């Protein structure tokens, strides 16, 4: 171990003032989820590894190489379990829904936010601990709910002031349509085997759809000339897709159809979508989602349809930063200047009442050298960004009062207020 500790590679501390932007994003999301009647779900960060193998799929980047997994030691509560830090939120949400039988009285709309873990190469927009916000609608089969989820994401971009994201939309059809497509896809890749990289060759038979999701630029041509799944859709799948499009059109949500959007697993079907930007380099997908009507049954639940999306918080915040949308933490309304330690008990009592009335007050705290001079306290009051200084001087306390001095608008103006009556004048500070 070095004698100085650092955070684990690819895992970031989120510090003030940047953390204020996270809080702002999270509170905007909470407010919006309430408007769409989505309810919060919180699941453990550790799950049985088998859950992710089943829920994400064995032949995926995540399960093959990105999970943080370990053998828990056995004790009387569990037997040598193989556990993993969650790499995404859907598998856990579905597990909880099945475990607690949440769909017993109909569909549920859920959302979550929190850290996810993937051992990827750290780079801009790609971290080993990153954060997702996800929305899942379980138990609803129709394109109306697919549309609702897309409208929810669009409303979020609007509430955040995020521009420069565009919606790409596709359909994976149903299992039989994918099987017909898959046969031709494998034949196409076999014909061009010389253009496939090692990952693709390995997946050719286990998960050929995933090859379409490659990030290898050398494979662009062979991927672009591949047969398109959307050309294999039957009338029912097309009807679902067109109904979704009609709702988006009526709501003025622009999109482009991307026939190469894929999810490589059998329980994904019909709608797939991504919100992408050109402003974050290779890490351009800020939000991805789709329908997974087969997953609940795959996880041992009674078959029920479901659809959802997840967004990458770091990518959304980075894009907002690019656009100069970076709200700061609110400054305190007032800063308490306490020239004499004897005044501290009375001062803190008053501050408590002001805070209860909703006033943001920063207390002047003593350092190693004590409280410091009146002048140095005032300097700190000014630097805090507060609009007012509250002066708890000996004079004031003798009269049972506090001096309120304006630091910004009308700077210098001052007045006295009675300490016993803080609730009344608290409002004048806000
Ligand atoms: P990508 O193609 O960029 O690897 P993905 O398909 O692995 O993304 P999903 O599993 O669909 O991503 O996760 C949803 C969103 O979470 C992504 O669109 C992205 O915004 C974000 N995300 C995924 N992995 C990371 C990561 N390692 N670091 C930061 N954000 C991530
Ligand atoms: Mg990935």
């Amino acid at each position: 171990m070095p004698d100085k500790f650092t955070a684990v590679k690819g895992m970031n501390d989120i510090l003030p003032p940047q953390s204020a932007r996270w809080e702002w994003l999270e509170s905007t999301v909470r407010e919006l989820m309430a408007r769409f009647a989505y309810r919060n779900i919180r699941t453990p960060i550790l799950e049985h590894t088998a859950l992710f193998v089943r829920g994400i799929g064995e032949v995926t980047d995540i399960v093959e190489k990105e999970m943080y997994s370990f053998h828990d030691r056995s004790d009387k509560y569990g037997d040598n379990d193989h556990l993993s830090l969650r790499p995404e939120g859907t598998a856990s949400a579905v597990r909880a829904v099945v475990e607690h039988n949440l769909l017993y009285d109909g569909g549920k709309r859920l959302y979550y936010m929190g850290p996810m873990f993937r051992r990827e190469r750290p780079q801009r927009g790609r971290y080993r601990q990153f954060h997702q916000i996800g929305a899942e609608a379980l138990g609803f089969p129709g394109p109306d709910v697919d549309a609702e989820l897309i409208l929810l994401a669009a409303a979020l971009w609007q509430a955040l002031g995020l521009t420069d994201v565009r919606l790409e939309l596709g359909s994976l059809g149903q299992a039989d349509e994918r099987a017909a497509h898959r046969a031709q896809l494998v034949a196409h890749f076999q014909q061009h085997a010389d253009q496939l990289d090692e990952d693709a060759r390995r997946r050719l038979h286990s998960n050929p759809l995933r090859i379409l999701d490659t990030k290898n630029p050398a494979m662009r041509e062979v991927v672009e000339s591949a047969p398109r799944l959307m050309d294999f859709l039957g009338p029912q799948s097309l009807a679902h897709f067109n109904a979704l499009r009609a709702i988006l059109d009526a709501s003025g949500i622009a999109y482009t159809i991307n026939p190469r959007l894929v999810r490589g697993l059998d329980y994904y079907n019909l709608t797939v979508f991504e919100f992408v930007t050109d402003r974050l380099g290779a890490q351009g997908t800020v939000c991805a989602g789709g329908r997974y009507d087969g997953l609940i049954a795959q996880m041992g639940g009674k078959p029920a349809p479901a659809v959802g999306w997840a967004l990458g918080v770091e990518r959304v915040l980075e894009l907002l930063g690019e656009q100069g949308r970076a709200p700061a933490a609110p400054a305190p309304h007032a800063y308490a200047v306490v020239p004499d330690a004897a005044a501290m008990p009375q001062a803190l009592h008053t501050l408590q009442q002001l805070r209860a009335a909703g006033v943001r007050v920063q207390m002047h705290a003593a350092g190693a050298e004590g409280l410091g001079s009146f002048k140095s306290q005032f300097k700190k009051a000014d630097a805090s960004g507060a609009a007012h200084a509250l002066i708890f001087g000996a004079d004031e306390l003798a009269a049972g009062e506090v001096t309120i001095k304006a630091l910004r608008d009308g700077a210098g103006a001052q007045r006295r207020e009675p300490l016993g009556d803080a609730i009344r004048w608290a409002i004048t500070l806000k």
Side-chain angles (χ1 to χ4, degrees):
M1 262 294 146
D3 39 305
K4 227 175 168 188
F5 289 108
T6 57
V8 174
K9 188 171 160 208
M11 305 198 178
N12 300 308
D13 297 312
I14 299 156
L15 308 171
Q18 273 73 29
S19 53
R21 306 173 61 222
W22 286 71
E23 293 189 307
W24 163 74
L25 173 72
E26 288 158 5
S27 61
T28 305
V29 166
R30 283 195 192 96
E31 167 64 28
L32 199 66
M33 291 294 175
R35 289 191 207 168
F36 279 78
Y38 280 64
R39 301 282 156 81
N40 188 225
I41 180 171
R42 301 176 188 220
T43 59
I45 285 170
L46 276 177
E47 298 270 4
H48 295 285
T49 300
L51 175 79
F52 300 119
V53 175
R54 183 94 67 87
I56 300 168
E58 212 152 352
V59 192
T60 55
D61 282 347
I62 293 179
V63 169
E64 282 181 341
K65 50 193 184 199
E66 296 175 0
M67 285 212 289
Y68 287 92
S69 302
F70 65 98
H71 273 291
D72 197 9
R73 66 184 96 157
S74 37
D75 61 19
K76 64 178 172 172
Y77 305 108
D79 190 25
N80 205 19
D81 291 328
H82 202 251
L83 304 180
S84 294
L85 289 171
R86 64 182 185 193
E88 56 100 58
T90 303
S92 307
V94 168
R95 185 215 22 89
V97 161
V98 172
E99 182 173 341
H100 305 288
N101 196 22
L102 288 191
L103 300 183
Y104 78 102
D105 63 346
K108 290 284 175 292
R109 295 174 166 92
L110 303 173
Y111 80 93
Y112 59 83
M113 27 188 165
M116 306 293 164
F117 303 83
R118 297 183 194 178
R119 192 185 281 100
E120 301 197 70
R121 188 167 72 76
Q123 55 196 291
R124 183 188 188 202
R126 196 175 292 285
Y127 309 99
R128 291 182 162 187
Q129 175 174 324
F130 64 101
H131 297 74
Q132 284 186 341
I133 294 170
E136 319 275 1
L138 305 108
F140 304 102
D144 49 343
V145 177
D146 304 12
E148 176 180 274
L149 276 159
I150 290 173
L151 291 168
L152 168 59
L156 180 59
W157 312 145
Q158 190 173 22
L160 296 172
L162 189 78
T163 52
D164 271 334
V165 281
R166 56 172 201 281
L167 172 61
E168 297 195 347
L169 195 63
S171 175
L172 300 176
Q174 301 292 11
D176 53 335
E177 294 152 2
R178 281 197 300 282
H181 167 252
R182 180 188 164 121
Q184 295 205 15
L185 188 65
V186 172
H188 168 82
F189 285 135
Q190 276 170 333
Q191 263 166 33
H192 302 93
D194 52 320
Q195 294 174 49
L196 301 183
D197 63 16
E198 191 192 322
D199 259 359
R201 249 176 257 138
R202 200 160 35 82
R203 287 176 179 175
L204 184 54
H205 295 286
S206 56
N207 199 346
L209 253 195
R210 270 275 156 181
I211 299 176
L212 298 176
D213 202 19
T214 179
K215 294 191 170 64
N216 183 353
M219 283 179 47
R220 176 168 300 166
E221 203 184 300
V222 67
V223 160
E224 292 202 346
S225 58
R228 298 172 163 201
L229 175 49
M230 298 230 3
D231 297 329
F232 291 73
L233 300 190
Q236 278 190 332
S237 295
L238 278 175
H240 189 103
F241 191 57
N242 290 331
L244 168 60
R245 292 183 58 184
I247 299 171
L248 297 180
D249 291 341
S251 299
I253 304 284
Y255 56 87
T256 53
I257 294 176
N258 180 350
R260 272 180 297 276
L261 277 186
V262 295
R263 296 274 183 280
L265 299 162
D266 279 351
Y267 36 80
Y268 292 106
N269 64 324
L270 296 171
T271 310
V272 275
F273 57 89
E274 284 188 3
F275 286 91
V276 296
T277 180
D278 299 323
R279 298 185 61 164
L280 295 180
Q283 275 59 252
T285 304
V286 296
C287 175
R291 191 160 267 288
Y292 49 95
D293 290 339
L295 184 59
I296 294 176
Q298 173 86 16
M299 303 292 252
K302 209 169 117 215
V307 53
W309 54 245
L311 67 79
V313 175
E314 284 83 355
R315 292 186 194 178
V316 168
L317 285 174
E318 187 155 347
L319 189 52
L320 284 165
E322 290 265 310
Q323 296 174 358
R325 290 273 308 161
H333 295 114
Y335 188 100
V337 172
V338 189
D340 181 352
M344 201 48 101
Q346 182 63 272
L348 279 182
H349 178 62
T350 306
L351 300 193
Q352 195 74 343
Q353 291 173 313
L354 294 175
R355 289 167 180 147
V359 182
R360 297 192 296 270
V361 199
Q362 184 170 334
M363 181 193 82
H364 180 79
E369 311 293 321
L371 285 164
S373 69
F374 193 77
K375 198 172 151 206
S376 75
Q377 291 198 30
F378 248 95
K379 257 194 189 151
K380 291 210 164 120
D382 203 41
S384 76
H388 311 273
L390 306 177
I391 305 161
F392 294 90
D395 255 23
E396 282 87 349
L397 289 203
E401 292 177 339
V402 59
T403 294
I404 302 173
K405 186 167 181 177
L407 297 175
R408 323 254 146 214
D409 291 348
Q414 59 179 66
R415 66 177 201 276
R416 284 200 180 194
E417 293 285 1
L419 288 173
D421 203 11
I423 308 266
R424 184 184 54 78
W425 50 265
I427 186 118
T428 64
L429 300 177
K430 292 209 272 177

